[in-house]
Amino acid sequence: MILKKSLEKPIIIQNVISNSHLVANSSYAIGSVSKFFVMLTPSFNNTSSNYANTTFFWELSLQNSSIVTDYTREPFFTEVFTEVGRYSLSVNVSNLVSFDYTKEYFIVQEPIEELLINTTTPDFISLGGIVHVVASIKKGTNVTFKWDFGEMDVYVTPSPVTLANRYQERSTANYTYWEVGTYAITVTANNLVSQNEATLSNVITVEQQVSGFSLKEILPTILGDTTEIFAVLKEGTHVRFTIDIGRGAAESVTASEVDDGFFKFDYVFNVSGVYHVVITAFNDVSFASDELSVIVQANIDDIQVIVNSDVIIHQVSQFLVKNNNGEILDRSDLLYQWTVDAKNLSSALPFFTYTFHTTGLFELEVLVSNLVATKKLSVNVEVLNTVAPVVIYHSYFVEAKHPVLFQLMNNVPNVDDDDQNTIEIDFGDGHSAMLDGNSSEPLQFSHTYDVAGLYQVNVSAFTTNVHSVLSVQEQISNISLQGPTITRFYRPESMQIWNVARESGTAILYTWTTKHLSTAPGYNLQSKYQMFTNVLQKECLEFAAAGVYDISVNASNHISWQTINIQTQLQEPILSTSVYIPTVVHGQNSTIEISVQGERPFTFDINYGDGKTGLYFSEDLMEKVFVDSGMYTYRYTLNKHYLLDGEYTCFVVINNTVSSRSVTVRGVVEEKISGVRIMSDSPSILQLGEVITLIAIVDKGSNIIFEWNFRDQISGPYVESLGNMSIATHTFNLPGSYNVTVSVSNALQTEPITVAYPETLQILEAINSLWVSPKNDRYTTSLHIINNITMRTDQVKFHAECSGTEVTFVFNFGDGSPLITRTGVNKADTYTAETVASHVYQEEGSYMVTLTAFNAVSNSSTSLPQPFLVQIPPLGLSFERSHYETKFGEYTNLTVLVNGGSDLKFYWSMGDQTTYPNHGMSVSHKYFLAKDYTVTVTASNNAENVTVQCTVSVQVSLQGVSLSVIHHNCQNGSNNVLICKTDEKITFEAETITSGTDVWYDWNMGDGSYPYYSRNDRRVYDYNQNGRYTVTVKASNANSNVVSEPISLWLQTPVRDLSIRHKGTSIVNAQTSFQALVHDGSDLTYTWNFGDGAIETTSTFTTSHTYNR
């Protein structure tokens, strides 16, 4: 018959849950579905059946206040957030055999929408100009605005990224550009859940203002050639140029930069003359102009020298300069330098008169020049010694509107024909006259010229034509010298254009004289004169040094002259400037350091940027002078006290009498650093690997340098310092307690101010790898009975261990006793926490021991991998006796006794390599050899084992035993008697005839001593009395006994200390008695040697002897 029975309830086998991990992002956006998931250890397949009997309890908290709780059967949790803030989500996972707990923190923010950027700043600004921009958003929380102005600097609106519910809807930024260029301004608005970027629709172009623009004076140029005008530009970017040549309208002109800051302009003038040229350099933020005079003159074509009549000794000869067309070279820009007969004459006229006083051949040379060309021509003139038939005399240089007296000399006899005596005169100005020439006397007549000029007079008389030339000139009156009284001087040489104004005067020759009166610093020129002549009323004067000069002009023609002089100064312009305002702390004076390269005196017109201005003169200031290669640099220092801290744009205009330079410089007055504090909404207790964010804010101060110290020896924080705020995020690498500090300073306040975060950060390692085990890995213990009433175990120690810090362990021993809490101790130089808990069980049973470990950031639970057994050990295990004998060939029956024990098992070892495991308390066994066996029995359960032993002697019947003496100093005597000494050890040995085990011996020593039994087949014995003894031994086992044949012993005491005495007289042939004295000895025989050759043996100790000699 078969019976079948099932359990009423199924057995549920489950994993122990530990080291669970909640998968969550660091941030979520409101309005979207946010999903969370718990990863379980050991991992489960993602099926519903695997989560049977597993419960997930979720708790969602906002700002540490619980807002949602929920139970699920699967490890998933979803939520749609409607409110921003800092949340925590925890989940408690449990099944029938274990539970675990995990928690994560995260931020919920509103995404950013509609980022806009605009500015009121124009597209072009000056270097040092400020751009004002505004960014705004429609939606978004915890927004950080990052401004990128196209340079290395990035300005971030101080919006703490970790503080919940922080709304920042707009950001305003002011930025000062100190580098020229074109910049696209971009703003990025971001929070933890979104990021938007916007770029300003127009780019900002930063230009350096035009300054230090000056034109270099140039030499006159030839009409039709390209005029090269050079200019110096010290500062300015994106510069363009226009030119105005005096026509009232400017036109664009292209400049080529031939060197750094040195430009060349090419221009072609179509008409000769003196031009007042203005060139303007400009960009989109500034302009600067300079002017100069440009002299344009025509070239000199081929010329010829014409003699107006025969050259006759002692008569005035006339010479004219004409072009190839035969026309008199009547140009106002030409200077004529005549050389004849070793004499020189300069003139503004192409007309030359000279009287030769010797005949012969002379060379006449004329040099015709202007400021751009020179023509030189020489002719040979033959001077005749003859008489001209008709000669006309008059003044060759006369004043206009004054009568000119002419005298006509007739050296030809009269002619009867009246027609031939008529004289026709052409005065060259459109007037003529008819005169009667019959008189032999010189004929005189006059004519008045109304307009100054060069006139050719033609006379037809007496069949002869006479030609003459005269220059009608105006008197020079009221001349004045027009030019700069002070101008810029550029090394190595500079020029000035001077103009002589007059009220009247023609055919004027100008003689210019310059006298060097004084020299500016840096030059070593001595005073000197320069003199040159020209026909232009404008003159380019060249100067080799800056200083003061006297300029005089003598204006002359052939009828008048006037002289005028004036002083002029050439001063070096301001070539370079620099202004520097070091940053100071509020309350200190700002120092304005000005360096100027150029010639004094200077004026400094300063706009301090705070509504105040100042005008200063170099003569009133202390200065330092530096000289390099003859160039002087002057340094001045001004002090300014700003009432408020901040950034000031200081505009400095530096002038001397010939130039002006402007400099824009930034001055900063910093607040004293104060109001330093650290804030955070991160908890002070964090899990290792969790990010903490701290924000340092400085209420007052600028250009702050933040230095964070998280006391982490492995790595430092990620720091983003934003103006007066610094955000430090850090992940600690090691658990421990950390006191975070931040030190703030700047370039001026170098002694840092250090503040500490008010809370000590506790960085804990999350609990992982939790396990518990009994000490020595024994899962059983013994339950002891005390006083036959109370049962209890010894102290059972359980060892708990996990990775983690600041761990508390809670033990549940499974017997209903109170929970035991222990604080974990971390092993040296590790983050493994361990502890030991002891417990005493008082009942027999199987117990499931569970362990929960937790710290401030995590918890975990586990249990022993198998139940812990409490059992009663084997009690009073014993054999009935310790020795058993069995006749060879028969079964040996053995039984053990036990007083108590739980679930005992017996293990028999019979001593002949036969074992009976898991046997009962009795065993029956047959041995196959006759010998002694040790039988071992172990009674055991899971708590303890006890061992007991007995001996089993398997024996055969004895057939006989022999006795012998094996170690002795005895001598063989007669009749098999051994003669031995007393007090000496004698070894007896018994030997059974049939081998067997467990033989014992009964020794009879023959001296009446007590019976002696032993299992040793040898006995060592000594006799202390002399005499005769019979020794036997009886060998016995459990089955039989036999007695040996006896051994006869004769024990004798050895002789000791022998001496001889005699008595009586020793006379020949008389008896002499002797006595032997011994200290010890038995059974003595005396052998006497009397010394005379006689020897005698006796059994007594006395004797006598008769000596015969």
Side-chain angles (χ1 to χ4, degrees):
M1 183 175 65
I2 299 175
L3 294 178
K4 184 177 180 181
K5 184 69 173 178
S6 300
L7 291 174
E8 295 181 358
K9 294 182 180 180
I11 298 175
I12 299 175
I13 307 299
Q14 290 189 313
N15 287 311
V16 175
I17 301 171
S18 64
N19 301 325
S20 301
H21 174 60
L22 178 59
V23 179
N25 298 330
S26 61
S27 59
Y28 293 91
I30 62 172
S32 61
V33 177
S34 303
K35 297 182 179 180
F36 302 86
F37 173 66
V38 178
M39 294 184 63
L40 302 179
T41 304
S43 60
F44 292 0
N45 293 327
N46 191 15
T47 60
S48 299
S49 60
N50 285 298
Y51 301 117
N53 299 304
T54 302
T55 302
F56 301 87
F57 175 70
W58 305 86
E59 183 176 14
L60 181 66
S61 298
L62 173 60
Q63 312 292 37
N64 298 321
S65 297
S66 178
I67 59 174
V68 174
T69 58
D70 190 18
Y71 284 93
T72 65
R73 287 294 185 179
E74 293 185 346
F76 303 103
F77 181 81
T78 59
E79 180 71 14
V80 177
F81 295 100
T82 59
E83 186 177 355
V84 299
R86 188 172 188 270
Y87 288 78
S88 66
L89 178 63
S90 64
V91 58
N92 193 318
V93 186
S94 61
N95 59 14
L96 299 178
V97 297
S98 60
F99 68 93
D100 200 6
Y101 176 84
T102 182
K103 183 178 183 179
E104 292 293 337
Y105 291 89
F106 52 89
I107 300 291
V108 174
Q109 295 180 338
E110 183 178 36
I112 299 168
E113 294 182 9
E114 296 187 21
L115 175 63
L116 301 176
I117 178 175
N118 59 75
T119 182
T120 57
T121 304
D123 295 349
F124 295 90
I125 63 172
S126 300
L127 186 66
I130 298 174
V131 173
H132 176 78
V133 285
V134 177
S136 61
I137 59 172
K138 183 178 181 180
K139 291 183 179 181
T141 56
N142 279 88
V143 179
T144 297
F145 293 90
K146 291 189 178 182
W147 290 94
D148 184 352
F149 290 92
E151 295 187 308
M152 294 301 294
D153 297 323
V154 176
Y155 176 86
V156 180
T157 299
S159 174
V161 298
T162 61
L163 297 182
N165 300 319
R166 175 68 180 254
Y167 285 85
Q168 179 80 19
E169 296 182 351
R170 60 186 282 121
S171 172
T172 300
N174 295 311
Y175 187 77
T176 303
Y177 281 101
W178 295 103
E179 294 290 339
V180 298
T182 300
Y183 300 95
I185 300 177
T186 301
V187 64
T188 301
N190 68 316
N191 57 16
L192 298 176
V193 298
S194 61
Q195 176 174 307
N196 284 12
E197 183 177 284
T199 300
L200 194 65
S201 59
N202 56 299
V203 296
I204 299 296
T205 300
V206 180
E207 296 183 345
Q208 187 179 37
Q209 289 191 347
V210 176
S211 65
F213 180 69
S214 61
L215 300 177
K216 305 285 288 185
E217 298 291 348
I218 62 173
L219 295 173
T221 58
I222 299 174
L223 179 67
D225 286 356
T226 299
T227 300
E228 294 182 342
I229 303 173
F230 294 93
V232 175
L233 179 64
K234 293 299 181 182
E235 292 177 344
T237 55
H238 304 97
V239 179
R240 288 93 72 194
F241 301 92
T242 61
I243 186 170
D244 183 356
I245 62 173
R247 297 173 181 170
E251 56 183 303
S252 296
V253 63
T254 302
S256 58
E257 190 169 7
V258 296
D259 200 356
D260 187 20
F262 194 64
F263 294 86
K264 179 170 74 79
F265 305 89
D266 294 333
Y267 195 84
V268 178
F269 292 90
N270 298 318
V271 179
S272 61
V274 179
Y275 293 88
H276 179 71
V277 176
V278 177
I279 294 181
T280 301
F282 68 96
N283 57 17
D284 296 285
V285 297
S286 61
F287 71 91
S289 299
D290 198 13
E291 61 184 42
L292 81 163
S293 295
V294 178
I295 299 174
V296 180
Q297 295 181 330
N299 206 348
I300 302 174
D301 296 327
D302 291 338
I303 58 174
Q304 56 181 332
V305 176
I306 304 299
V307 182
N308 208 29
S309 61
D310 291 337
V311 180
I312 300 174
I313 191 172
H314 302 305
Q315 287 187 5
V316 176
S317 299
Q318 300 176 2
F319 302 93
L320 293 171
V321 179
K322 295 185 178 181
N323 58 27
N324 286 337
N325 296 325
E327 299 169 344
I328 297 176
L329 198 62
D330 187 14
R331 283 173 52 180
S332 62
D333 63 333
L334 297 180
L335 173 69
Y336 302 88
Q337 293 174 282
W338 301 88
T339 302
V340 63
D341 198 16
K343 295 181 177 60
N344 299 310
L345 177 66
S346 295
S347 173
L349 298 172
F351 171 55
F352 175 62
T353 62
Y354 190 74
T355 302
F356 294 94
H357 297 287
T358 58
T359 60
L361 191 63
F362 292 86
E363 182 182 18
L364 173 65
E365 182 180 274
V366 62
L367 180 67
V368 183
S369 64
N370 60 12
L371 296 179
V372 298
T374 300
K375 287 288 186 178
K376 188 175 183 181
L377 186 66
S378 64
V379 295
N380 291 322
V381 177
E382 184 178 4
V383 179
L384 304 176
N385 188 4
T386 184
V387 176
V390 178
V391 180
I392 187 170
Y393 293 99
H394 59 83
S395 296
Y396 295 101
F397 305 98
V398 297
E399 184 177 359
K401 297 183 181 181
H402 285 71
V404 180
L405 180 64
F406 294 90
Q407 186 176 14
L408 186 66
M409 299 291 294
N410 183 9
N411 295 322
V412 180
N414 291 334
V415 180
D416 293 336
D417 188 351
D418 293 337
D419 294 334
Q420 294 182 352
N421 291 328
T422 300
I423 300 173
E424 295 181 7
I425 303 171
D426 182 359
F427 292 103
D429 63 347
H431 296 85
S432 62
M434 300 289 289
L435 300 176
D436 185 6
N438 290 326
S439 174
S440 59
E441 295 296 324
L443 182 62
Q444 291 185 347
F445 54 91
S446 63
H447 182 71
T448 300
Y449 290 90
D450 295 325
V451 180
L454 190 64
Y455 296 96
Q456 293 191 68
V457 179
N458 295 314
V459 178
S460 297
F462 315 116
T463 68
T464 302
N465 290 324
V466 180
H467 306 287
S468 184
V469 178
L470 77 161
S471 173
V472 179
Q473 301 176 356
E474 289 182 352
Q475 285 271 358
I476 300 171
S477 65
N478 296 328
I479 65 171
S480 62
L481 193 57
Q482 298 174 346
T485 57
I486 185 166
T487 58
R488 289 170 288 193
F489 177 82
Y490 294 102
R491 298 171 187 251
E493 189 174 80
S494 290
M495 293 183 295
Q496 287 182 347
I497 299 294
W498 286 83
N499 179 60
V500 180
R502 69 188 186 280
E503 185 176 305
S504 63
T506 59
I508 301 174
L509 191 67
Y510 299 96
T511 300
W512 298 80
T513 303
T514 61
K515 181 180 179 182
H516 187 195
L517 300 179
S518 64
T519 303
Y523 299 92
N524 296 317
L525 295 180
Q526 301 296 321
S527 296
K528 64 178 182 179
Y529 291 93
Q530 290 184 352
M531 181 179 296
F532 52 93
T533 302
N534 208 334
V535 297
L536 285 183
Q537 66 190 53
K538 286 186 179 289
E539 185 59 62
C540 292
L541 301 181
E542 297 183 358
F543 301 92
V548 178
Y549 294 83
D550 182 80
I551 299 175
S552 66
V553 177
N554 179 274
S556 64
N557 58 17
H558 293 82
I559 63 173
S560 63
W561 62 272
Q562 279 193 354
T563 300
I564 190 171
N565 72 302
I566 196 171
Q567 283 189 358
T568 185
Q569 180 181 356
L570 279 84
Q571 186 181 44
E572 284 194 286
I574 299 172
L575 300 178
S576 65
T577 60
S578 67
V579 180
Y580 174 63
I581 305 178
T583 303
V584 297
V585 178
H586 183 249
Q588 298 177 345
N589 284 335
S590 295
T591 301
I592 304 175
E593 301 173 2
I594 305 174
S595 294
V596 186
Q597 187 182 66
E599 188 178 344
R600 296 172 299 175
F602 307 114
T603 61
F604 306 98
D605 190 357
I606 303 176
N607 185 331
Y608 290 106
D610 62 346
K612 303 294 180 63
T613 60
L615 181 63
Y616 305 91
F617 301 92
S618 59
E619 299 94 324
D620 302 330
L621 301 176
M622 295 291 294
E623 67 181 9
K624 294 181 180 180
V625 183
F626 302 89
V627 182
D628 183 12
S629 301
M631 301 296 291
Y632 280 68
T633 299
Y634 302 91
R635 293 184 182 173
Y636 305 91
T637 300
L638 299 172
N639 290 324
K640 166 65 178 176
H641 185 77
Y642 287 99
L643 297 178
L644 303 176
D645 57 83
E647 182 177 307
Y648 296 88
T649 300
C650 188
F651 187 72
V652 181
V653 179
I654 305 170
N655 299 289
N656 65 5
T657 52
V658 296
S659 60
S660 176
R661 299 292 291 273
S662 61
V663 180
T664 301
V665 65
R666 176 175 54 180
V668 177
V669 179
E670 289 188 352
E671 287 183 308
K672 290 183 179 179
I673 298 174
S674 62
V676 184
R677 62 191 185 277
I678 304 176
M679 53 191 291
S680 176
D681 65 346
S682 296
S684 60
I685 301 176
L686 297 101
Q687 181 176 320
L688 185 65
E690 189 175 0
V691 176
I692 183 172
T693 300
L694 299 180
I695 303 171
I697 296 178
V698 178
D699 289 338
K700 293 185 178 181
S702 57
N703 300 316
I704 302 298
I705 300 171
F706 294 87
E707 291 187 10
W708 289 89
N709 188 346
F710 277 73
R711 304 297 191 274
D712 190 339
Q713 301 300 319
I714 296 179
S715 65
Y718 171 74
V719 177
E720 189 174 12
S721 296
L722 320 166
N724 282 28
M725 182 182 70
S726 179
I727 302 174
T729 56
H730 185 61
T731 301
F732 286 96
N733 294 276
L734 297 174
S737 298
Y738 297 90
N739 293 307
V740 180
T741 61
V742 66
S743 298
V744 295
S745 62
N746 57 22
L748 297 178
Q749 302 173 70
T750 57
E751 187 67 29
I753 299 174
T754 301
V755 297
Y757 186 55
E759 297 184 50
T760 299
L761 299 181
Q762 299 291 331
I763 309 303
L764 305 181
E765 186 175 20
I767 295 171
N768 284 295
S769 304
L770 177 66
W771 59 269
V772 61
S773 69
K775 204 71 172 177
N776 302 322
D777 287 331
R778 292 195 68 235
Y779 284 83
T780 59
T781 189
S782 298
L783 187 65
H784 305 295
I785 300 174
I786 301 174
N787 299 326
N788 294 321
I789 299 175
T790 304
M791 292 190 299
R792 58 179 295 171
T793 64
D794 292 335
Q795 291 279 350
V796 180
K797 294 184 178 180
F798 293 93
H799 179 216
E801 186 174 301
C802 68
S803 62
T805 53
E806 305 292 332
V807 179
T808 299
F809 296 93
V810 178
F811 292 84
N812 184 341
F813 297 108
D815 60 350
S817 60
L819 303 181
I820 299 297
T821 301
R822 293 286 184 268
T823 300
V825 177
N826 284 89
K827 295 181 180 179
D829 300 326
T830 70
Y831 300 104
T832 299
E834 61 179 356
T835 191
V836 174
S838 299
H839 184 62
V840 174
Y841 287 96
Q842 296 181 348
E843 291 183 4
E844 183 182 7
S846 175
Y847 301 98
M848 178 59 71
V849 177
T850 59
L851 173 70
T852 299
F854 64 91
N855 58 15
V857 297
S858 63
N859 63 73
S860 182
S861 297
T862 188
S863 61
L864 288 178
Q866 64 188 66
F868 187 81
L869 299 178
V870 177
Q871 295 180 328
I872 300 174
L875 301 176
L877 180 65
S878 65
F879 285 99
E880 292 177 341
R881 60 181 185 270
S882 62
H883 184 77
Y884 294 85
E885 295 86 12
T886 302
K887 190 174 183 178
F888 180 71
E890 296 180 355
Y891 279 92
T892 303
N893 297 309
L894 300 174
T895 299
V896 292
L897 304 176
V898 64
N899 295 331
S902 305
D903 300 326
L904 296 181
K905 297 177 182 180
F906 297 91
Y907 183 92
W908 293 80
S909 177
M910 305 309 295
D912 61 352
Q913 298 184 350
T914 301
T915 61
Y916 299 101
N918 297 326
H919 209 69
M921 297 174 62
S922 298
V923 70
S924 179
H925 182 66
K926 184 178 182 179
Y927 291 97
F928 294 96
L929 293 176
K931 63 182 225 178
D932 290 341
Y933 296 92
T934 299
V935 177
T936 302
V937 178
T938 300
S940 64
N941 56 16
N942 290 322
E944 197 173 328
N945 58 71
V946 178
T947 299
V948 67
Q949 290 181 331
C950 71
T951 58
V952 175
S953 180
V954 179
Q955 300 175 350
V956 296
S957 297
L958 298 177
Q959 301 300 317
V961 63
S962 61
L963 180 63
S964 62
V965 177
I966 59 172
H967 296 296
H968 58 85
N969 290 321
C970 300
Q971 298 177 3
N972 292 322
S974 59
N975 299 320
N976 295 323
V977 175
L978 287 177
I979 301 172
C980 304
K981 296 178 182 180
T982 60
D983 297 320
E984 284 192 1
K985 295 187 181 299
I986 302 170
T987 302
F988 300 90
E989 183 180 54
E991 183 178 0
T992 59
I993 295 175
T994 304
S995 62
T997 58
D998 200 18
V999 177
W1000 65 90
Y1001 300 91
D1002 180 8
W1003 300 87
N1004 184 356
M1005 308 310 295
D1007 60 352
S1009 59
Y1010 291 105
Y1012 177 75
Y1013 298 92
S1014 74
R1015 292 187 178 276
N1016 194 343
D1017 59 355
R1018 291 185 181 183
R1019 184 177 186 192
V1020 178
Y1021 195 76
D1022 59 336
Y1023 294 89
N1024 55 21
Q1025 297 291 330
N1026 58 297
R1028 292 180 180 269
Y1029 301 93
T1030 299
V1031 180
T1032 61
V1033 63
K1034 182 171 68 174
S1036 304
N1037 62 15
N1039 302 317
S1040 59
N1041 61 77
V1042 290
V1043 178
S1044 68
E1045 293 292 331
I1047 293 178
S1048 296
L1049 299 179
W1050 186 6
L1051 272 299
Q1052 295 180 354
T1053 302
V1055 177
R1056 185 161 58 91
D1057 296 335
L1058 175 64
S1059 62
I1060 304 174
R1061 293 180 182 177
H1062 73 281
K1063 62 183 177 178
T1065 59
S1066 297
I1067 302 173
V1068 178
N1069 296 321
Q1071 283 188 334
T1072 300
S1073 298
F1074 294 93
Q1075 182 180 8
L1077 299 176
V1078 294
H1079 184 272
D1080 203 358
S1082 67
D1083 302 309
L1084 299 179
T1085 299
Y1086 299 91
T1087 300
W1088 301 84
N1089 186 341
F1090 296 106
D1092 58 354
I1095 297 175
E1096 180 182 46
T1097 299
T1098 69
S1099 59
T1100 63
F1101 62 89
T1102 60
T1103 192
S1104 61
H1105 182 67
T1106 301
Y1107 291 93
N1108 55 15
R1109 61 179 188 279

